Amino acid sequence: ETRFDFEKDNAGPGYSFEGIREEFNLNGMRSLYGATKLSSEHLVHEYIDMFDIKAVINRFGIIAGPWQMGKMDQGLVGYWIAKHLYGGSLKFFGYKGSGKQLRDALHIDDLCDLVLYELCHMDQLNGKVFNVGGGRDNAFSLLELTQEVQQLSAKQLHVTPVPQEQRADIRMYISDNTYIKKETGWYPKRSLRDILEDTYEWMKNHEEQLKGVLGA
């Protein structure tokens, strides 16, 4: 099963039918990567308090779209497209190599729309923490992403499963955008298909410049 299987009225501490909320429990092991993100949040709050600096914290999920130089550990969507377009190999890491781990993707243009709004309304939003992502409508598993990209590129690329799991693997993450929408009116306007098509066209149109970098 690769879908978020919560019932419409199902919710718990920090999660809902729509995904993960801001109050989700952050205690426990996080990985060094995750710990640096949480540490930066604490530092931002200290600067707000001590130096009267205005700031907003956005906890973004996967960001994607044109101009992202995707690689294996960052920029998943762009990386997947680049390998299909320029050639190479892909692997399903985590979740026993099944490709069923779930994420959501946010178009870079939607992100920029939000940041512009926040910059123009900083007095209203100062100090707030938001979960921001593509949301349930833009959620996908790696299996589904592979199918979408293969259809878009008209290319078949074998993906090798890697069954070994890591302690920091997260099987499912979708951003619940309820709070950010309530406070700003913002919500993602670009679909997952928009993200894939825009990224593919950018890579196709700049193949000469990008192939040596993203196809390596």
Side-chain angles (χ1 to χ4, degrees):
E1 179 62 46
T2 63
R3 296 289 90 200
F4 225 22
D5 58 357
F6 295 150
E7 297 295 334
K8 281 286 186 182
D9 59 351
N10 188 17
Y15 71 89
S16 73
F17 176 74
E18 297 299 328
I20 303 300
R21 294 174 170 170
E22 287 77 6
E23 61 269 25
F24 189 84
N25 189 343
L26 300 179
N27 294 329
M29 300 302 295
R30 306 173 186 89
S31 80
L32 289 176
Y33 176 70
T36 60
K37 287 194 169 187
L38 187 57
S39 298
S40 68
E41 287 191 15
H42 293 315
L43 287 171
V44 169
H45 282 301
E46 293 298 328
Y47 272 87
I48 292 172
D49 180 67
M50 295 180 65
F51 302 108
D52 196 28
I53 293 175
K54 291 183 173 61
V56 173
I57 294 172
N58 294 310
R59 294 172 174 168
F60 289 115
I62 289 180
I63 301 167
W67 300 102
Q68 185 180 55
M69 298 295 180
K71 54 184 180 179
M72 185 172 68
D73 55 350
Q74 289 288 333
L76 167 68
V77 174
Y79 179 73
W80 230 249
I81 294 174
K83 291 303 178 184
H84 280 81
L85 182 58
Y86 303 142
S89 60
L90 289 170
K91 296 180 180 179
F92 287 146
F93 286 99
Y95 212 162
K96 298 181 180 180
S98 67
K100 292 184 178 181
Q101 56 266 65
L102 200 64
R103 298 292 188 271
D104 61 349
L106 179 68
H107 197 296
I108 183 61
D109 290 350
D110 280 321
L111 183 154
C112 291
D113 289 345
L114 173 61
V115 171
L116 179 59
Y117 180 93
E118 290 173 335
L119 289 171
C120 295
H121 298 82
M122 193 59 72
D123 288 339
Q124 166 196 340
L125 303 173
N126 184 40
K128 294 185 182 297
V129 178
F130 298 113
N131 284 6
V132 182
R136 187 182 180 90
D137 289 343
N138 283 356
F140 62 92
S141 69
L142 289 182
L143 279 173
E144 291 167 329
L145 178 63
T146 303
Q147 292 167 0
E148 291 284 343
V149 174
Q150 286 180 347
Q151 182 184 52
L152 184 64
S153 65
K155 293 183 179 180
Q156 299 287 321
L157 189 64
H158 175 69
V159 185
T160 303
V162 179
Q164 293 83 5
E165 296 195 15
Q166 303 295 322
R167 291 183 63 190
D169 286 344
I170 298 176
R171 294 190 176 187
M172 183 182 297
Y173 183 86
I174 301 175
S175 304
D176 183 340
N177 290 315
T178 302
Y179 184 45
I180 186 70
K181 184 177 181 180
K182 175 179 176 290
E183 294 295 309
T184 68
W186 176 92
Y187 63 93
K189 295 183 174 65
R190 287 85 174 177
S191 68
L192 178 61
R193 189 67 184 185
D194 292 331
I195 294 172
L196 298 178
E197 289 179 353
D198 289 352
T199 306
Y200 179 82
E201 288 303 316
W202 168 66
M203 289 188 183
K204 190 71 174 176
N205 293 336
H206 297 82
E207 184 169 355
E208 184 177 341
Q209 298 94 328
L210 295 174
K211 186 173 184 179
V213 178
L214 300 180

